[in-house]
Every structure is written in C-alpha cells, then in structure tokens.
C-alpha cells in the first residue's frame, strides 16, 4: 500500500512544468540540480530543503503575502546511491533558465552564491549557483547572514531580474561609494540612507577613511561597513546579511521616508532598472499582473520536496516523411529526406552517448513506430539504428500530432519514466492531418516530455517554436540556401540538451564548409585543448557529381599523418600521441582533395578528457525570439564563455547571421561593458542585431564561433568573499591564469523577423547612457563622464546630446521633456564607445539663500531625430536658480595632447564641455576674465595616469601649475588620496618635468 500511495503522490507533486510558474501564490516547477561531479553527500539534500523552507516563508512576507515556493524537485546525480525514494528520469534538458545548480565552485566566485545570466531588468537569470562547500560550511551565516536572506536575495536576481543595491559594477575605482553633490561628500551605495555604518579600510575599525575630501578619490579598499545593531527592514537586494532586513526597497508614498528608495544613488539597480525600486520591478513582473494578490497570513508556505534521480538520456526522433520531403535542397542538390538521412547517420554514429536510449517514429498520413527505445551499448546498436533511418522514403500528408502521440506512447510502453524524455521533431511542412500540435501539447506537458523542434525550410509549421517553448525544448531551423547544414542544426539539439553537461557530453570544436574546384586541395586547421580529447572525431560530408572518393589527410600536432578515403560521409577517429584514451592537445591540420569539383562540410567533435572544471563551454541565446520592424527596439545576441564555471576573458567571439537568400553578415561580440554589453570582463559577450542586417520577414539562423588565443585568460582561484563583506570576513582575492588555445562552434535558437520594411527610414535610436558619473568636483564645478552611445544603439555616432536639468528628479525620470533644456548646439558627440566629459558650473555655494538641489539627465539623438532613453540621473549640487535661456554659454575645449591608458579603460583626447551658468549681472565679466583662465587651465587638464603607493587613481585632477604641453610625456603626477585619521595632508598636485 505504501508504494501505491507514493506513486499517487509523485503523479501530482512531480508534475514537470515547462517553466517556473507562480500559480495561486505558489511557485511550481522549481528544480534543484546537483552537478554530476559533486560527491555523494545527502546532507546537501537536507540542507537545501531547510534553506528553501525558511526562504519560502521570508519570500511570502517580503512579497506582502503574494508568493512562496510550493513545489521543488531535487535532481540527484546518476552516480549517487538511491537512499531516498524517488523516480529515475531522463537526464534533464529543459532547464534553460530559473533553476538552482549545486556544483563545483567557480574560480571567480569561489564559494559565494551568485546568479548567472542576469542581463536585463525584469528578465530572469539562467541559474542560481550554490557550492557544496558553502552549503556544508558550519559558520556560513557569520559570513553571509541568515540563509533565508541570502537565498531570497539571489531569488530576486533569478526570478525577477533585480540588480544589487550595494555597489555599482561598472569599472569604478571604488564601486561601493559615489560622490554626492548634495551632501558634498562620498556616500555609500545603498538603497536608502537609514543603514547605520562607517567607512573603513577593509572594515577595520581602526582604519577609518575620510569621505569628506571630495577633491581626492577614496582608497580602493575603503568599504561601507554597517553596524551590528541595525533595526532597518530594507533591503534584501542590498545588505541582505543584516538580520533585521526582511523587505525589498520600496518607493511608495506610504513607505516611511527613512526607508524609501533613493533614486539618485548610482546602484546597479537604479542604473539598469531606470531608477525603479526593487519592489516596483517585482510589482510590474508578469507574476503579479492581474493575479496572485495578497493571500492569508496563515498560508502554509512549506514546500513539497520530491527526489528524482538523473538517469540516461531517453530520446525519440519524430521524422516527417511526407511527400514534400522529396523536394531538392538548392545548396546541396540533395532531397530534403536525403539531407535528413545523412544527418541522422552522423548523429547516431558520432554524437549519441553510450548507454543512452533512442526510439524512432515517422509520420505522414499516419504515424509509425520504426523502433521502440533501444539502448546504445555498442557499434551494433548504432548500425541497426542507422539502417532504419537510411531506409526512409517520402510520400503522403503531414500528421505531426500523430507522430508526437506515437512518441509519447513509445516512452510510456518502455516502462521508463516519461519525465524529461526528449522528442526531436523534424518537419518541413504545415500539418494537414489531425490531431494537430495544439491538440496534443497539454498531454506532452502533463507527461513531462521535452520537445525540440527543427523546422526544415521557411515553410515549416509556424507554431513549432511555441511547442518547444511550452515544453522546455529548443527550436532551430534548417534553411536550404544557407551555409548552416542540416548536420549543424541537428547536432546543436543533441549537444545543447544537457542542463548539466558531464564528461560524456561532446563539444563541437569546428564546423567548416567549402566548395572546391576539381583537383583543388582544401586545407584547414583546428585546435584540441587540454579540456577535451576523448572520442575526438572528424567527419567529412562531401557532395560531388559522381560521388568520387575524397582523400582525407590529417596531420597531428606531433607531425604524424593519418590518411583515409571518404565517400559521401565518413568519420575519422583521432588518437594522436601516446595516450590511448584521448588524443593529444594542440593544432591539427586536415587536407581534402578530390578529382572533381566538390562541396565539403567538415565537423570536429570531442568529449572531455577529465574534469568538467577544465572544459571550455559556450552557451548562446537571444534576448527575444522576434525582431519587429514596427518597433524601435532590437534584440541582443549573447554568448557565455566559461571554463568550468569560471568566465573566460579576451576570447574572440564571432557571429554569422545567415539570411534567407544564403548571404551572411559577420558580427563581433564583445565583453567590454559598452553598448550592448552590460558588464566588462564577465565572460558574457554581446552584440545588437540591427534592422539593416535583414532582407525579409521569416526565420533566421545564427552561427557562433569562439576561439581562445594568446591573451585569453580565466580565473584560477578565488579566496575569501566577494561583497558586501562583514567585519572580519576576508574579501575575495582573485588570481588569473592563461587558457590554452581552443575553438568552439554553436548555434542559438532560431528567431523571426516580422513587419519587414525596406524603407530607408531609420527607426533605431541611440543607446541609453547608463554610466553617467561624477569624475571630479570643486566647490562650484562638477566634471561628468559617460560612454558615448551611437547613432543606432551602439553603432556609429549620435548627432547631438539633449542635456536637461531640474530641481525634481522625478521630473527628469517621468517627464524629461518638461525639464530645463541646456543649449548644446556646439557640442559634437564622439563615436560610440569613446569617453565624453562635461563640466557644469553654477554659482558658488553659499552665495545665495535660494539655493536648490539640481539634477541632470542626458539622452542622445540621432540624425533622424530618434531619441535614446534618458540616462541615469545624477545630483549636480546646490546652486541658485538657473536662468538657462538668458545666461547660458557653452565652450568646447579640446585637449588633443593627452592619450594615456587609465587602468583598463581607454580615455583619449576628450572634448571637455564647459557649461557656465551665472546671473545676468556677472555673466559677461566671468566669461571675459574667468573664462580665459579656465580655458587655459582645462586645456592642460584631463584624465592622467596618477601613480602612487595606493595604485592608479581614477579621478581626473586638473593641473595647478603651468606646464609645457610639449613635455607632457615626461610628466608624472602623484596620486591624490584622502588622508586617514591622524595623517598629515599631502600635496596631491606635485608636477615633475624636465
């Protein structure tokens, strides 16, 4: 009877949702996946249950009784003993985002918890990463605060796309403070100012740092260290380790002023979420739009936990053999069904892992099960499966729904769980025989089956993407006139369908294509790195008029040659060197030669030779699945490059956008924190897809290639804790190491273009300025800096900047056009990515009794009057009222002589804009007398590399001596820093010259 009850419970509580959902105030479908390399220890399972149970209650309270965690499935590695009751499911593949991963530590973050892939406000992250070391740490709460607080903080990133409120991640000298011109001192980056604390060097109570000396940069190791006796309830996205903090930061009028969100603080949350509080972003999330209102305080928030054991991969090919599959593919001269047969042969021979299971279903007028699930144990099993696919022929209609239901029955009749079993659906037409996809989708979801879809040609069923998304699968397209082959597309489904890749999961090192003339040799190279080398295979697919044999020659890194003859499609296993289990690392060269004109496709794959920590893997995705020409927005393309769980920096990442006519555009993806890229050096490479790249409506493909050469690095180790640090807790120290040369190739999901227009009308605005910052200030002047946007997002050069000021920050945020406009007609914006500088001057503080706080915002405008979003808002300081119309003068002051690197940021030849504002009675006198002096002073100012024992300073400090600019190369300037308590002030402006 016990077993019967357990099965009934499992049928309800382990229902697999295609994505994390909030249903009647409870989150369903949360997965916790324990990585395959984590050593067996069921204390981890008990610990994560305790943490999520406590976090669920805190989440319920923090969301004002609107959300808690109802259902959790913990997926245990296949290698662990089955000590707990639970079903065996196919190895998970549907976890594209919003899950929890317990795995080996990242060398960048060490044991610290973090969420991967938070790139846009309000959009979910990929996964929350927790390490066994953290979960088993006895005194973890002393370093990180209460477990529930830590978890809810990371949940804010994972589910709602919130950002941190305790720092700004853009490259600042000290990211934990900012220069506040209202208080005229450095202030901590916090949600609100009711958190009591002190500014200390590394939180050492005997080493205070002076935040009042705004002429100098704060020491880079100065931290804001909250006191231990706090009573503040906010904010969980800020200092969540404080025991009293139980709420998110709010901006509601009914919130006590001392706890209200401060919109001017340059936190990551304010910058990336347009100054919205974390609670505003949560309220606007789809979780709470017209549903999930506050419920009873007595609601039981205890989650239901289920255990599932990861098993071998279970797949079924569902293959379209309708009559339209006989049509010829123009790029290869083969029929669609022959293209499919060749691709299936390659997949079965090269990519399907040993001990996995495969079944095959075909459909046309009706569906036929060609083989039930078969375990792949040896080459005999592979040959049997290949023979089945090679005998396929095409005729009849298109009954997709029948094929899907047959595959579901195939799984159920095997006696294995259907949970996470995968259907790979390949079809080229529109369904015309019931049941239809819409009729069977719910049944597939209920069974927990994941459906990956491959559209063969532009004409394939339009809702294939919806089916894949509803079940947690991927959706890709094979377009006939493209260089992305059928094998490329189908390979991507197989390789990318592991949520937690193990050492049996292969990587695509290279995918090459080439058309050659008769007797023309085709030579190419590829690199096998230290992380890979097991089961390394080179496959050649050739197409010649008479199918002449092709001579393949491979030269190993040690100079040894391997030769073979290939007809149509052939695979060469590589085992160079003395290791009989894996091929040697290094650069390989292959040459193909044929007496006839030949079209080649070459694929190189390899599996990890050891630990996953040594393997470079690439994941790629798009910010959206559609580009709408009727909208001013565009989408971003992302490529996440990691070695183990650590970001890889300085890689070369390229994207090839392939259009329907077969033409292609090559794109560069960057990790420089500019334009489309959010943060520098985080291993996430990004670019925009601009509208002028496209030529029609319909489906489009991308192909991403990644290579690591000299200068490519990653993190080798991380000790201590990131931030915010508690007193006495060591802050993280990072060590870098070189990454051996490597190559990877990957294809992201398809995307659609709709409402295409060939009109020359430009609807793409410049990017928003997101890093507006105060670089320096005096008693009456403020130097602002920011990265120049482009004409179209981050490409080109804007036409002008619209600069507005106001006494109300809310006016700048909500009604920018009604704020005071400054005349900037003489200012020429720099090309995208360069650093701009603006200097604002007002009346000297104290000279007027009517001084008010002034705020400033900027947006860029292009040549077609498309306006970018308003920048982050800054406080300029106190001054008498601006009389902009009558008393504003703008001078452009060039400084062409300075061209130096400042830390890792290039800042050359900045045009300084000096905005002088005064009252009518003194304006002319000031411009004539003071203006000339200031011109000369600013002419000799700029951002200079200032070296001292404290390192390199970020704050630009004007020269105070007359210096011959021709001898600028010989000058050195001492770094200015505020004195510590008890120290004597030093002269920060000592200039040395010949």
């Amino acid at each position: 009877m016990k077993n019967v009850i357990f099965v009934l419970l499992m049928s309800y509580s382990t229902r697999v949702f295609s994505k994390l959902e909030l249903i009647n105030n409870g989150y369903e479908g949360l997965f916790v996946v324990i990585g395959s390399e984590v050593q067996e220890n069921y204390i981890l399972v008990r610990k994560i249950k305790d943490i999520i149970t406590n976090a669920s209650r805190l989440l319920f309270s923090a969301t004002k009784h609107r959300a808690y965690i109802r259902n959790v499935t913990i997926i245990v590695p296949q290698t662990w003993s089955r000590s707990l009751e639970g079903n065996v499911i196919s190895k998970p593949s549907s976890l594209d985002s919003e899950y929890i991963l317990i795995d080996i530590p990242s060398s960048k973050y060490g044991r610290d918890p973090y969420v991967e892939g938070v790139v846009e406000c309000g959009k979910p992250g990929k996964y929350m990463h927790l390490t066994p070391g953290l979960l088993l740490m006895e005194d973890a709460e002393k370093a990180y605060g209460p477990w529930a607080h830590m978890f809810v903080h990371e949940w804010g990133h994972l589910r709602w796309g919130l950002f941190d409120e305790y720092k700004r991640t853009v490259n600042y000298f000290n990211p934990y403070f900012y220069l506040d011109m209202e208080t005229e001192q450095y202030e901590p980056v916090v949600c609100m100012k009711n958190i009591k604390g002190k500014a200390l060097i590394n939180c050492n109570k005997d080493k205070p740092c002076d935040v009042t000396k705004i002429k100098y940069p704060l020491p880079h190791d100065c931290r804001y260290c909250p006191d231990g006796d706090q009573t503040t309830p906010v904010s969980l996205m800020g200092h969540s380790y404080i025991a009293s903090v139980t709420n998110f930061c709010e901006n509601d009028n009914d919130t006590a002023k001392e706890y209200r969100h401060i919109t001017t603080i340059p936190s990551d949350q304010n910058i990336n979420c347009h100054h919205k509080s974390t609670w505003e972003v949560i309220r606007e999330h789809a979780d709470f739009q017209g549903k999930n209102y506050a419920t009873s305080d007595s609601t039981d928030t205890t989650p239901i936990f289920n255990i599932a054991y990861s098993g071998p991969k279970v797949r079924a090919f569902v293959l379209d053999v309708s009559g339209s599959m006989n049509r010829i593919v123009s790029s290869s001269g083969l029929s669609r069904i022959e293209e499919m047969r060749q691709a299936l042969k390659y997949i079965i021979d090269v990519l399907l892992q040993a001990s996995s299971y495969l079944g095959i279903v075909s459909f046309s007028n009706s569906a036929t099960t060609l083989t039930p699930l078969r375990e792949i144990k040896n080459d005999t099993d592979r040959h049997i499966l290949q023979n089945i696919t090679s005998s396929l022929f095409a005729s009849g209609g298109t009954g997709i729904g029948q094929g899907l239901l047959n595959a579901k029955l195939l799984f159920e009749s095997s006696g294995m769980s259907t949970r996470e079993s995968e259907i790979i659906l390949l079809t080229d037409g529109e369904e015309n025989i019931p049941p239809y996809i819409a009729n069977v989708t719910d049944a597939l979801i209920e069974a927990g089956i994941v459906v990956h879809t491959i559209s063969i040609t532009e004409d394939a069923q339009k809702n294939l993407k919806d089916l894949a998304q509803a079940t947690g699968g991927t959706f890709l397209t094979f377009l006939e006139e493209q260089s992305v082959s059928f094998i490329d597309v189908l390979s991507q489904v197989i390789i990318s369908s592991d949520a937690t890749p193990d050492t049996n999961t292969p990587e695509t090192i290279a995918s090459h294509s080439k058309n050659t003339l008769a007797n023309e040799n085709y030579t190419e190279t590829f690199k096998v790195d230290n992380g890979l080398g097991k089961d390394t295979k080179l496959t050649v697919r050739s197409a010649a008029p008479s199918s002449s044999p092709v001579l393949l020659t491979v030269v190993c890194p040690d100079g040894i040659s391997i030769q073979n003859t290939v007809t149509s499609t052939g695979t060469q296993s590589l085992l160079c060197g003395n290791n009989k289990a894996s091929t040697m690392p290094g650069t390989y060269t292959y040459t193909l030669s044929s007496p006839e004109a030949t079209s080649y496709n070459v694929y190189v794959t390899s599996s990890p030779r050891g630990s996953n920590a040594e393997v470079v893997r690439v994941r790629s995705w798009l910010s959206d699945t559609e580009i709408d020409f009727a909208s001013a927005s565009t989408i971003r393309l992302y490529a996440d490059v990691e070695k183990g769980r650590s970001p890889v920096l300085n890689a070369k990442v390229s994207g090839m956008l392939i259009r329907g006519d077969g033409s292609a555009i090559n794109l560069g993806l960057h990790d420089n924190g500019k334009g489309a890229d959010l943060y520098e050096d985080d291993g996430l490479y990004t670019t925009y897809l601009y509208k002028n790249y496209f030529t029609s409506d319909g489906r489009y493909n991308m192909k991403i290639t990644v290579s690591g050469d000299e200068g490519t690095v990653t993190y080798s180790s991380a000790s201590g804790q990131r931030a915010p640090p508690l007193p006495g807790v060591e802050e993280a120290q990072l060590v870098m190491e070189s990454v051996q040369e490597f190559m990877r190739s990957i294809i992201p999901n398809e995307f659609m273009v709709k409402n295409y227009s060939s009109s020359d009308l430009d609807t793409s605005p410049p990017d928003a300025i997101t890093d507006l910052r105060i670089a320096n200030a005096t008693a009456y002047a403020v130097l602002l800096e920011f990265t120049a946007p482009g004409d179209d997002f981050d490409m080109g050069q804007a036409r002008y900047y619209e600069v507005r000021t106001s006494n109300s920050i809310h006016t700048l945020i909500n009604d920018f056009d009604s704020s005071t406009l400054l005349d900037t007609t003489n200012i020429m914006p720099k090309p995208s990515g360069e650093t701009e500088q603006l200097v604002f001057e007002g009346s000297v503080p104290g000279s007027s009794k009517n001084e008010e706080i002034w705020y400033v915002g900027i947006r860029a405008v292009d040549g077609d009057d498309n306006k970018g979003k308003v920048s982050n808002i800054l406080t300029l300081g106190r001054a008498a009222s601006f009389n902009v119309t009558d008393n504003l003068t703008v001078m452009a002051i060039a400084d062409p002589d300075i061209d130096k690197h400042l830390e890792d940021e290039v800042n050359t030849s900045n045009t300084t804009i000096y905005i002088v504002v005064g009252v009518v009675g003194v304006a002319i006198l000031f411009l004539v007398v003071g203006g000339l002096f200031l011109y000369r002073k600013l002419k000799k100012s700029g951002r200079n590399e200032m070296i001292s024992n404290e390192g390199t300073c970020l704050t630009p400090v004007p020269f105070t001596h007359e210096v011959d600019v021709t001898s600028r190369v010989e000058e050195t300037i001492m770094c200015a820093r505020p004195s510590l308590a008890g120290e004597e002030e030093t002269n920060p402006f000592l200039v040395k010259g010949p």
Side-chain angles (χ1 to χ4, degrees):
M1 184 65 180
K2 180 178 179 181
N3 289 337
V4 174
I5 293 174
F6 176 71
V7 170
L8 291 174
L9 285 173
M10 290 295 290
S11 68
Y12 166 74
S13 59
T14 63
R15 180 185 177 206
V16 176
F17 287 81
S18 59
K19 58 183 177 180
L20 185 65
E21 293 182 274
L22 184 61
I23 301 174
N24 297 327
N25 302 104
Y27 281 107
E28 300 270 6
L30 176 62
F31 281 82
V32 178
V33 181
I34 301 177
S36 59
E37 293 194 45
V38 175
Q39 296 297 311
E40 179 174 336
N41 188 339
Y42 277 96
I43 294 176
L44 289 172
V45 176
R46 185 173 71 244
K47 186 70 176 181
I48 196 66
K49 285 183 176 181
D50 291 343
I51 291 172
I52 294 178
T53 298
N54 293 329
S56 178
R57 188 66 194 175
L58 176 60
L59 186 68
F60 187 65
S61 171
T63 58
K64 306 181 188 298
H65 304 161
R66 298 181 186 186
Y68 65 96
I69 299 171
R70 179 184 293 134
N71 184 290
V72 183
T73 298
I74 301 175
I75 300 179
V76 177
Q78 187 175 358
T79 55
W80 284 27
S81 63
R82 295 176 189 171
S83 322
L84 302 174
E85 289 185 303
N87 286 347
V88 176
I89 65 172
S90 178
K91 190 177 178 187
S93 64
S94 63
L95 303 181
D96 178 59
S97 64
E98 298 180 275
Y99 64 98
I100 298 169
L101 176 65
I102 300 174
D103 205 359
I104 58 176
S106 161
S107 295
K108 178 179 181 181
Y109 299 116
R111 70 189 179 212
D112 286 359
Y114 66 92
V115 172
E116 180 74 10
V118 183
V119 291
E120 294 183 63
C121 182
K123 292 193 175 182
K126 292 298 179 183
Y127 57 84
M128 181 194 304
H129 185 271
L130 305 174
T131 66
L134 173 64
L135 294 174
L136 299 175
M137 185 177 172
E138 291 185 2
D139 56 349
E141 290 191 327
K142 292 183 180 179
Y144 295 92
W147 277 111
H149 292 214
M150 177 274 292
F151 186 94
V152 174
H153 174 95
E154 302 300 338
W155 183 270
H157 295 311
L158 182 71
R159 178 61 180 176
W160 299 312
L162 304 180
F163 289 83
D164 289 327
E165 293 181 312
Y166 59 80
K167 64 173 182 174
R168 44 186 183 167
T169 308
V170 180
N171 269 349
Y172 293 101
F173 190 58
N174 189 317
Y176 304 106
F177 291 86
Y178 70 102
L179 190 54
D180 189 336
M181 295 312 298
E182 180 177 355
T183 61
E184 297 182 12
Q185 66 178 29
Y186 289 103
E187 296 286 355
V189 176
V190 291
C191 161
M192 51 87 203
K193 295 186 178 180
N194 201 44
I195 295 178
K196 297 181 295 182
K198 301 178 180 66
L200 305 170
I201 301 295
N202 290 328
C203 286
N204 185 330
K205 64 180 181 180
D206 298 322
K207 293 185 178 181
C209 34
D210 193 339
V211 297
T212 64
K213 296 178 178 178
I214 64 175
K215 293 182 180 180
Y216 312 98
L218 276 178
H220 67 88
D221 50 1
C222 182
R223 297 289 179 268
Y224 187 67
C225 310
D227 296 340
D229 57 339
Q230 300 284 338
T231 58
T232 178
V234 292
S235 165
L236 285 165
M237 296 310 296
H239 297 76
S240 58
Y241 55 81
I242 298 175
S244 63
V245 170
T246 55
N247 295 325
F248 292 101
C249 209
E250 301 182 34
N251 201 25
D252 299 336
N253 291 331
D254 57 354
T255 302
K257 186 175 181 180
E258 61 269 26
Y259 298 139
R260 197 173 298 169
H261 173 72
I262 302 175
T263 53
T264 54
I265 291 176
S267 64
D268 277 4
Q269 171 66 23
N270 272 337
I271 289 172
N272 293 305
C273 295
H274 199 54
H275 299 274
K276 290 180 180 178
S277 69
T278 53
W279 180 243
E280 286 178 273
V281 175
I282 294 170
R283 271 200 329 243
E284 294 171 4
H285 192 273
D287 284 348
F288 306 106
Q289 293 302 298
K291 56 186 176 181
N292 296 307
Y293 300 106
T295 188
S296 170
D297 180 51
S298 62
T299 299
D300 184 2
T301 63
T302 306
I304 298 172
F305 291 95
N306 309 286
I307 301 298
Y309 290 93
S310 178
K313 275 286 186 183
V314 179
R315 300 183 177 97
F317 290 151
V318 177
L319 310 174
D320 187 346
V321 292
S322 62
S324 58
M325 290 290 288
N326 284 319
R327 294 175 184 169
I328 300 301
V329 176
S330 58
S331 59
S332 66
L334 303 175
S335 67
R336 294 174 182 174
I337 197 161
E338 178 58 26
E339 284 274 3
M340 184 170 71
R341 284 194 292 250
Q342 289 193 13
L344 293 171
K345 179 181 184 300
Y346 169 79
I347 295 300
I348 294 168
D349 184 41
V350 176
L351 292 186
L352 293 186
Q353 300 100 320
S355 300
S356 65
Y357 289 79
L358 178 66
I360 303 174
V361 173
S362 66
F363 66 88
S364 57
N365 291 332
S366 61
T368 303
T369 299
L370 301 178
T371 178
L373 287 179
R374 172 181 287 274
E375 183 180 5
I376 301 175
K377 294 176 288 189
N378 50 44
D379 287 344
T380 300
D381 296 306
R382 295 183 192 273
H383 291 321
I384 291 172
L385 293 168
Q386 286 173 346
N387 289 336
I388 292 172
T389 59
S390 64
S391 64
L392 294 172
F393 65 93
S395 67
T398 307
I400 298 176
Q402 292 189 31
L404 293 170
L405 289 180
N406 259 40
K408 176 176 177 289
L409 181 61
L410 180 150
F411 292 142
E412 292 169 341
S413 62
S414 70
M416 304 175 70
S417 172
T418 60
R419 309 296 173 185
E420 291 295 311
S421 296
E422 299 175 36
I423 290 175
I424 301 175
L425 170 64
L426 297 88
T427 180
D428 76 334
E430 295 189 0
E431 54 186 347
N432 50 31
I433 298 174
Y436 300 116
I437 290 174
N439 305 133
V440 303
T441 299
D442 286 345
L444 297 171
I445 293 174
E446 186 65 35
I449 295 171
V450 179
V451 183
H452 306 290
T453 63
I454 295 179
S455 306
I456 304 173
T457 79
E458 176 64 42
D459 298 328
Q461 184 68 30
K462 301 304 181 186
N463 61 348
L464 293 178
K465 181 188 74 173
D466 299 333
L467 172 63
Q469 289 182 315
T471 59
T474 58
F475 44 98
L476 295 157
T477 298
F478 167 61
L479 299 176
E480 296 176 335
E481 296 184 4
Q482 293 193 357
S483 57
V484 173
S485 70
F486 208 130
I487 289 178
D488 280 322
V489 174
L490 188 52
S491 297
Q492 189 59 46
V493 173
I494 302 298
I495 290 175
S496 66
S497 63
D498 276 351
T500 55
D502 58 27
T503 53
N504 291 320
T505 303
E507 294 292 316
T508 299
I509 291 177
S511 171
H512 299 146
S513 60
K514 178 74 171 180
N515 295 324
T516 63
L517 301 174
N519 298 310
E520 178 186 358
N521 288 344
Y522 170 44
T523 300
E524 190 62 83
T525 62
F526 63 90
K527 298 172 183 177
V528 177
D529 54 278
N530 278 328
L532 303 180
K534 187 177 70 174
D535 295 330
T536 304
K537 297 179 180 180
L538 184 151
T539 298
V540 178
R541 177 178 175 270
S542 63
S546 61
S547 299
S548 298
V550 173
L551 179 63
L552 166 66
T553 304
V554 180
V555 180
C556 300
D558 57 3
I560 302 297
S561 294
I562 302 171
Q563 281 196 335
N564 202 348
T565 300
V566 177
T567 301
S568 182
T569 301
T571 298
Q572 175 68 55
S573 295
L574 300 178
L575 201 58
C576 300
N578 298 322
N579 190 330
K580 300 305 179 183
S582 59
T583 197
M584 66 190 304
T587 300
Y588 291 70
T589 302
Y590 67 82
T591 299
L592 298 169
S593 58
S594 171
E596 295 187 89
T598 307
S599 175
Y600 296 111
N601 293 105
V602 182
Y603 313 94
V604 182
T605 60
S606 187
S607 296
R609 70 176 76 232
S611 168
N612 272 326
E614 299 301 317
V615 179
V616 174
R617 288 194 169 95
V618 180
R619 293 179 301 121
S620 182
W621 69 95
L622 294 137
S623 61
D624 205 341
T625 59
E626 285 186 345
I627 292 181
D628 187 354
F629 269 66
S631 167
S633 62
T634 190
I635 63 177
R636 289 178 171 93
L637 171 66
Y638 300 102
D640 189 21
V641 187
E642 292 184 318
K643 181 183 178 185
R645 295 293 176 186
S646 301
V648 173
L649 314 183
N650 304 330
K652 181 181 179 181
V653 183
S654 302
M656 183 169 63
L657 172 65
I658 304 132
R659 300 183 284 209
D661 60 2
S663 62
I665 294 179
N666 292 315
L667 314 173
L669 285 76
H670 304 287
D671 183 22
N672 56 10
K674 297 179 180 181
D677 190 59
L678 188 61
Y679 296 132
E680 182 180 14
D681 289 344
D682 62 352
L684 186 61
Y685 298 76
T686 316
T687 191
Y688 283 119
L689 299 184
Y690 299 105
K691 291 179 180 176
N692 61 355
Y693 292 167
F694 304 102
T695 55
S696 64
D697 281 343
R699 292 179 163 107
Y700 284 78
N701 269 341
M702 293 289 309
K703 188 173 185 179
I704 309 298
T705 57
V706 182
S707 61
D709 300 309
E710 185 178 355
T712 305
V713 297
T714 189
Y715 298 92
S716 62
S717 64
S719 61
Q721 185 174 329
R722 281 185 301 159
L726 290 172
V729 176
E730 179 191 3
E731 192 168 353
Q733 303 296 320
L734 301 176
V735 179
M736 307 298 291
E737 68 176 9
S738 297
V739 176
Q740 189 189 25
E741 293 182 343
F742 68 90
M743 297 171 65
R744 298 291 185 271
S745 178
I746 189 172
I747 300 174
N749 284 337
E750 70 175 31
F751 62 97
M752 301 284 291
V753 170
K754 66 180 184 179
N755 298 317
Y756 171 77
S757 171
S758 59
S759 169
D760 292 332
L761 179 64
D762 177 13
T763 60
S764 299
D767 250 340
I769 296 166
T770 59
D771 61 347
L772 185 62
R773 57 196 180 271
I774 296 175
N776 200 5
T778 67
Y780 54 89
V782 181
L783 172 64
L784 302 188
E785 285 187 343
F786 60 92
T787 302
D791 177 278
D792 293 345
F793 298 98
D794 65 349
M795 181 173 66
Q797 187 171 351
R799 189 178 66 157
Y800 68 91
Y801 294 125
E802 186 178 347
V803 181
R804 293 182 182 269
T805 60
S806 176
N807 299 128
S808 168
I809 186 172
H810 299 291
T811 299
L812 286 171
I813 293 173
N814 301 315
D815 191 12
F816 189 72
D817 288 338
S818 70
S819 304
T820 303
L821 177 66
L822 304 187
D823 181 7
T824 58
T825 54
N826 293 328
I827 301 171
M828 176 62 70
K830 293 179 180 295
S832 173
E834 294 192 18
T835 301
E836 298 275 21
Q837 290 187 330
L838 307 178
V839 176
F840 293 78
E841 170 126 330
S843 57
V844 178
S847 65
S848 170
K849 296 181 180 180
N850 298 317
E851 294 166 355
E852 295 185 84
I853 294 296
W854 286 91
Y855 306 95
V856 64
I858 304 173
R859 69 181 172 193
V861 185
D862 70 11
D864 291 283
D865 287 328
N866 296 306
K867 296 183 177 182
K869 293 181 180 179
V870 178
S871 69
N872 54 301
I873 308 301
L874 292 185
T875 307
L876 280 178
R878 295 184 181 275
S881 298
F882 285 103
N883 189 346
V884 177
T885 303
D886 296 334
N887 300 291
L888 179 70
T889 301
V890 178
M891 293 187 300
I893 302 175
D895 189 359
D897 298 304
I898 297 176
D899 184 5
K900 295 186 178 182
H901 285 77
L902 188 58
E903 291 202 329
D904 295 325
E905 183 178 351
V906 177
N907 180 9
T908 62
S909 306
N910 292 315
T911 299
T912 304
I913 311 304
Y914 191 77
I915 301 178
V916 183
V917 181
V919 296
V920 174
V922 299
I924 296 176
L925 179 62
F926 179 83
L927 290 174
V928 172
V929 179
L932 290 175
F933 167 75
L934 290 170
Y935 175 89
R936 185 172 60 180
K937 183 174 74 171
L938 286 172
K939 177 71 175 177
K940 294 178 170 55
S941 71
R943 300 193 63 176
N944 298 272
E945 193 169 40
M946 300 175 286
I947 307 299
S948 78
N949 293 332
E950 293 298 323
T952 304
C953 291
L954 280 182
T955 302
V957 183
F959 291 108
T960 56
H961 297 69
E962 290 294 329
V963 181
D964 181 2
V965 296
T966 60
S967 61
R968 184 66 52 84
V969 175
E970 304 297 328
E971 298 166 2
T972 60
I973 305 175
M974 292 187 64
C975 174
R977 67 157 174 84
S979 302
L980 302 180
E983 286 186 346
E984 183 178 350
E985 192 73 51
T986 59
N987 178 5
F989 303 133
L990 178 61
V991 179
K992 298 179 180 179

